[in-house]
Amino acid sequence: MTAYDDTEENGMNERGALLDFPGADELAAAGHVHPLPERALARVLAEVEAAVATEGADVTAPGANVTAPDANVTAPGTAGVVVAMPERRLFGRQFGRRRALIGLLATAAVATGVVTYANNGGTSAGQDAGTRSEARANTATVFLDDISTVAASQSVSSGKYWKTRTTVGTAYLSQSMDYYVVNGGKAYRKGLRPDWQVGPKDLDWKGLGQLTTDSGKLLALLQSPPRPKSISPFDQAVTLLTDSPASPQLRAGVFKAMGGLKGVKLLGQVKDSTGRGGTAVEFAEAKSVGQVIVDPKTSAILEYTFTWTAGPSKGKVTHQTFLSTGFTDRIG
């Protein structure tokens, strides 16, 4: 009986056998990881190269961009190793050697930071659209849950004004909800800013500070039946994250609540209109699509795009690029 036959007899299919190696759990749970220092990276890659050389022609050495249908781990050129997992069955003694090699390659992939949040949830062509959508949503949920942890770790701060600097100008909001813009070095009061909408609630600066930070309760609020002229749950959440003095704990709760919205999808790594890298998340409704780009290191919202996809406003796009947001004690 071959090693492969043994896996079948014990109820383990070929995919299970391929994933039965040291480091598989770490690879699956890694998400986005940061690269190792150069010396450590060089050591890992040297070990991989030696293993690949031993394996011979079946696996190509580092630097030769090899891919395979079963492989979700890639690394561009000098940045890491491109891993190919063969589709053919592995028999006899080759299985043990290849299992060890795959484990080493997977560990190297995690170490070199080439694992990123997938945008397809590992689905196959044979699965239906509902399953693919659910898998994508679950991936977005994982990402937003991770971002909520990053948001909660940010420093608590305060100030007289909430300052929002975008590519089109700088605005200031006072604790009494007075709204100011700066033009030509002078500040102009533009009136009172509308309260923040959170489901059935309309909150001013003080009310925002009293809002629950529990993600489950926030999700219930966001998913409340819409009122006339209400904005989408996703839009409500993004507005809180960009245009309000929300505390780190509230931001964390909002991010986690966003992950529970039906229809939220992870799009993957992108760049905003200024060239900054981030991770994009999308939320689609019957007549609109909202897309937000998040800095995974700081939880800051880099950019938000809202597009009408149906109705009288079809094709209309609202686009905001946020350069910085935060507290300040003075205008200008």
Side-chain angles (χ1 to χ4, degrees), residues 4 62 77 79 85 89-90 95-96 109 111 125 150 155 163 179 185 191-192 196 213 219 223 264 271 276 278 303:
Y4 179 80
M85 292 187 180
R89 299 188 176 193
L90 309 175
F95 180 83
V150 176
S155 300
K163 179 181 178 181
Y179 185 69
L192 293 175
W196 293 286
T213 60
L219 177 59
Q223 291 182 324
V264 66
K271 289 186 178 181
R276 296 173 299 177
E303 196 163 83

Side-chain angles (χ1 to χ4, degrees), residues 2-49:
T2 66
Y4 179 80
D5 292 335
D6 184 56
T7 64
E8 291 283 51
E9 184 176 280
N10 290 309
M12 182 184 295
N13 59 21
E14 182 177 354
R15 180 176 178 81
L18 283 172
L19 294 178
D20 178 29
F21 57 80
D25 291 340
E26 289 81 359
L27 176 62
H32 175 76
V33 293
H34 296 290
L36 288 174
E38 277 190 28
R39 293 179 62 183
L41 174 59
R43 186 170 63 253
V44 171
L45 294 181
E47 292 175 4
V48 172
E49 187 171 3

Side-chain angles (χ1 to χ4, degrees), residues 27-321:
L27 176 62
H32 175 76
V33 293
H34 296 290
L36 288 174
E38 277 190 28
R39 293 179 62 183
L41 174 59
R43 186 170 63 253
V44 171
L45 294 181
E47 292 175 4
V48 172
E49 187 171 3
V52 170
T54 300
E55 190 61 21
D58 288 331
V59 180
T60 305
N65 291 327
V66 180
T67 60
D70 289 345
N72 286 326
V73 180
T74 60
T78 59
V81 180
V82 179
V83 182
M85 292 187 180
E87 288 185 305
R88 66 183 181 277
R89 299 188 176 193
L90 309 175
F91 293 94
R93 288 175 295 177
Q94 285 186 343
F95 180 83
R97 291 172 58 207
R98 200 173 294 272
R99 176 180 177 274
L101 177 58
I102 291 172
L104 181 58
L105 292 174
T107 302
V110 173
T112 55
V114 301
V115 181
T116 59
Y117 292 99
N119 66 357
N120 60 9
T123 57
S124 66
Q127 292 174 295
D128 60 44
T131 303
R132 287 196 297 270
S133 177
E134 181 180 352
R136 287 171 65 87
N138 287 339
T139 307
T141 300
V142 171
F143 170 72
L144 290 167
D145 187 60
D146 289 347
I147 290 299
S148 74
T149 302
V150 176
S153 70
Q154 301 303 300
S155 300
V156 177
S157 57
S158 62
K160 294 181 179 179
Y161 304 95
W162 179 253
K163 179 181 178 181
T164 304
R165 189 165 69 93
T166 70
T167 52
V168 297
T170 303
Y172 297 82
L173 181 68
S174 73
Q175 295 184 26
S176 59
M177 301 298 283
D178 287 307
Y179 185 69
Y180 300 85
V181 296
V182 175
N183 189 5
K186 295 183 179 181
Y188 297 89
R189 181 179 180 276
K190 301 293 286 186
L192 293 175
R193 186 207 180 280
D195 293 345
W196 293 286
Q197 181 185 141
V198 186
K201 298 177 177 289
D202 290 314
L203 304 170
D204 59 10
W205 187 301
K206 182 179 179 180
L208 190 70
Q210 299 171 346
L211 182 64
T212 180
T213 60
D214 180 85
S215 61
K217 294 179 180 179
L218 287 168
L219 177 59
L221 288 172
L222 292 173
Q223 291 182 324
S224 299
R227 298 174 292 164
K229 298 184 179 180
S230 64
I231 58 179
S232 76
F234 192 77
D235 203 40
Q236 292 176 39
V238 173
T239 301
L240 286 178
L241 293 168
T242 58
D243 198 29
S244 83
S247 67
Q249 287 300 320
L250 178 54
R251 285 175 53 81
V254 171
F255 272 120
K256 197 163 187 177
M258 289 172 72
L261 293 173
K262 294 181 179 179
V264 66
K265 296 179 181 180
L266 183 68
L267 301 183
Q269 297 178 339
V270 299
K271 289 186 178 181
D272 70 4
S273 58
T274 67
R276 296 173 299 177
T279 302
V281 176
E282 178 184 273
F283 179 76
E285 291 193 300
K287 296 184 179 181
S288 64
V289 174
Q291 183 184 123
V292 67
I293 301 176
V294 185
D295 182 342
K297 296 179 181 179
T298 66
S299 79
I301 301 295
L302 303 180
E303 196 163 83
Y304 183 53
T305 303
F306 183 88
T307 305
W308 288 101
T309 57
S313 298
K314 182 178 180 180
K316 182 179 179 181
V317 178
T318 302
H319 181 86
Q320 288 180 292
T321 302

